[in-house]
């Protein structure tokens, strides 16, 4: 097997030049956000609006279908 030997620093930086290191970035701080409670309340409120809207849509479609589809014929022979 062959081995790879990295070059010496003198070969990489000719003339003995010093390598400059980039300054360290400040520690990460997340962007400011609204308080968690109010954000959760907004999400919950939006979530709770969905089922009634869905039911309203379904009910509207049922009403429209009932207007389109004729009622079944009434048979006097059946009792009850």
């Amino acid at each position: 097997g062959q081995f790879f030997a990295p070059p010496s620093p003198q070969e990489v930086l000719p003339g003995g030049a010093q390598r400059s290191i980039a300054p360290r970035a400040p520690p990460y701080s997340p962007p400011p956000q609204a308080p968690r409670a109010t954000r959760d309340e907004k999400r919950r409120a939006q979530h709770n609006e969905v089922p009634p809207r869905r039911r309203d849509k379904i009910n509207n479609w049922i009403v429209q279908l009932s207007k389109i589809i004729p009622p079944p014929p009434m048979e006097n022979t059946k009792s009850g």
Side-chain angles (χ1 to χ4, degrees):
Q2 294 180 345
F3 293 101
F4 173 75
S8 67
Q10 290 80 19
E11 293 175 20
V12 175
L13 299 172
Q18 289 291 325
R19 185 175 75 165
S20 63
I21 298 175
R24 185 174 286 206
Y28 174 75
S29 60
Q33 297 177 345
R36 187 172 184 89
T38 57
R39 189 177 69 210
D40 287 347
E41 289 171 8
K42 286 181 184 177
R43 289 181 66 206
R44 189 174 300 120
Q46 288 175 342
H47 173 77
N48 288 339
E49 289 175 6
V50 172
R53 273 190 279 158
R54 182 173 165 266
R55 283 193 300 270
D56 288 343
K57 282 184 180 180
I58 292 172
N59 288 338
N60 287 338
W61 281 110
I62 290 172
V63 168
Q64 288 181 8
L65 284 173
S66 68
K67 291 177 181 177
I68 295 171
I69 300 172
M74 297 296 282
E75 294 184 16
N76 293 335
T77 58
K78 292 185 179 178
S79 60

